[in-house]
Amino acid sequence: GAVRLLSRRAPVADPGALSVLPSGVARGEDALAKLGRRGAAGASSSGVEPDDVKIFTVDPRETAKFEADAALWWDEERGPFAPLHAMNPTRVGFIREALARHFHGGIEPGTGVRDIAGESITTSAMSVGAAGDLGPAQPLAGLRILDVGCGGGILCESLARLGADVTGIDAAKGNIAIATAHAAKDPGMSRRVTYHATTAEEVAAAGAKFDAVVSLEVVEHVNDPEGFVRQLEALTNPGGAVFMSTVNRTARSYALAIVAAERVLRWVPPGTHEFEKFMTPEELAAVAHRAGLEVREAAGMVYTPPLPAPGRNGAVAGRWTLSGDDLAVNYIVYLSKPK
């Protein structure tokens, strides 16, 4: 199958609970409004002073590293984030299927994911109309989703195209500026996505909660992985879902993600990853359990390189697929929060 069941699947959440929040729990955007006045194109900076909330998961070195390349987030062919664009349909397929089952029970496990993963499309090719018409397929309509460490908005825009109302946050103001500017090119997209230059700690302190929280390729760049996962849990509504992806800590991941991708092929800048920060699926599952989250499923994201050809960029020309057996390098995990 396309996914690995790491524990017994819990009952799906009640679809009727999508718009029902416990007493005293603020809706995501209502709580985020406390952090700062929204600026142009749906962006805002945090209005919470650093002394008001202890920020313990953000690594300033990592933030500066990604902000230095912020202008290149949407260079899908040759930029340092081109591999993320190539991987994105696979990530979105996993999330879309899991959320549909989690909240609606409408998709059987394993169906559709491999087809989505195999589509030869780029992130920008999945466009929306100027009037905001997202097309007939909106399986995530009605869901409020938070993307923690959203970068330039690659995942945020994809989830918005599926009908979700998406909030993206990132500690790097440069990333938020690029994400906001890109979304503003399409009025339909800018109505579905809101960006904030802030941290998970600040948003949690404001009382915001979401139906689902996603944080992909982020946990390997934070200071305190366990504390970071606790923040993701705090930001999730009871009965909601959390998605994380990262890189396993294996000899193969070192050879492919660091030696090959950084030092030899230069698909991403050298120093992007630190091997000791990689987490095994077992370690991530244990951290999630201690945070109060249940691990539901996990899948490897496996890269198959293209046949050699002059001028071909292997970072984007290869194929990404989901695997229930091979989690040795990249993998994605679906977690749930008890009601």
Side-chain angles (χ1 to χ4, degrees):
V3 296
R4 176 188 295 181
L5 301 182
L6 296 188
S7 62
R8 175 180 289 182
R9 179 173 299 147
V12 297
D14 179 6
L18 285 178
S19 60
V20 179
L21 294 173
S23 175
V25 175
R27 287 183 179 273
E29 283 304 316
D30 293 341
L32 280 166
K34 301 176 184 177
L35 296 179
R37 184 171 57 85
R38 181 177 300 180
S44 81
S45 294
S46 171
V48 177
E49 294 298 323
D51 291 342
D52 295 339
V53 179
K54 182 180 180 181
I55 311 300
F56 56 88
T57 63
V58 175
D59 185 334
R61 296 179 305 110
E62 297 278 3
T63 302
K65 186 166 44 178
F66 287 98
E67 192 164 26
D69 290 326
L72 302 174
W73 268 104
W74 287 93
D75 183 351
E76 301 182 37
E77 295 296 324
R78 297 289 176 180
F81 305 108
L84 286 182
H85 284 277
M87 182 194 296
N88 196 53
T90 306
R91 308 187 304 179
V92 173
F94 180 91
I95 294 170
R96 182 181 79 169
E97 178 195 310
L99 283 177
R101 284 187 282 109
H102 188 94
F103 288 106
H104 306 298
I107 301 179
E108 290 301 317
T111 61
V113 173
R114 284 176 292 257
D115 294 336
I116 296 166
E119 290 177 0
S120 297
I121 54 177
T122 62
T123 304
S124 62
M126 300 182 288
S127 60
V128 298
D133 179 13
L134 296 179
Q138 297 188 40
L140 305 187
L143 290 179
R144 297 182 310 280
I145 300 178
L146 175 68
D147 184 357
V148 179
C150 65
I154 297 172
L155 179 64
C156 287
E157 292 199 8
S158 296
L159 296 175
R161 291 185 186 98
L162 295 175
D165 293 312
V166 185
T167 299
I169 65 171
D170 200 288
K173 293 182 179 180
N175 290 345
I176 293 298
I178 291 298
T180 303
H182 193 271
K185 294 178 180 178
D186 191 319
M189 181 60 63
S190 62
R191 285 196 293 270
R192 290 275 184 174
V193 183
T194 303
Y195 293 107
H196 300 264
T198 186
T199 65
E201 290 93 332
E202 290 171 297
V203 179
K209 290 187 184 294
F210 298 81
D211 300 310
V213 175
V214 298
S215 188
L216 307 190
E217 281 73 55
V218 174
V219 70
E220 69 270 25
H221 300 289
V222 304
N223 267 337
D224 180 354
E226 183 140 0
F228 181 72
V229 176
R230 288 199 303 270
Q231 295 301 309
L232 301 185
E233 186 275 339
L235 290 163
T236 308
N237 277 331
V242 176
F243 295 87
M244 300 179 68
S245 64
T246 187
V247 186
N248 201 344
R249 195 175 64 255
T250 63
R252 214 168 108 208
S253 70
Y254 181 83
L256 295 177
I258 295 180
V259 176
E262 294 186 17
R263 300 175 186 172
V264 178
L265 300 172
R266 298 298 178 103
W267 289 348
V268 296
T272 296
H273 298 106
E274 297 177 30
F275 181 70
E276 59 272 17
K277 285 190 170 185
F278 291 172
M279 297 182 72
T280 69
E282 293 76 17
E283 289 169 342
L284 185 54
V287 167
H289 178 74
R290 289 193 290 271
L293 297 170
E294 178 185 356
V295 183
R296 302 280 287 274
E297 295 174 355
M301 295 185 289
V302 179
Y303 173 75
T304 303
L307 294 174
R312 176 174 288 173
N313 180 8
V316 297
R319 175 183 173 88
W320 286 92
T321 54
L322 291 172
S323 169
D325 301 314
D326 186 357
L327 281 69
V329 186
N330 297 88
Y331 67 95
I332 186 168
V333 177
Y334 156 39
L335 311 156
S336 64
K337 180 174 179 175
K339 291 185 179 181

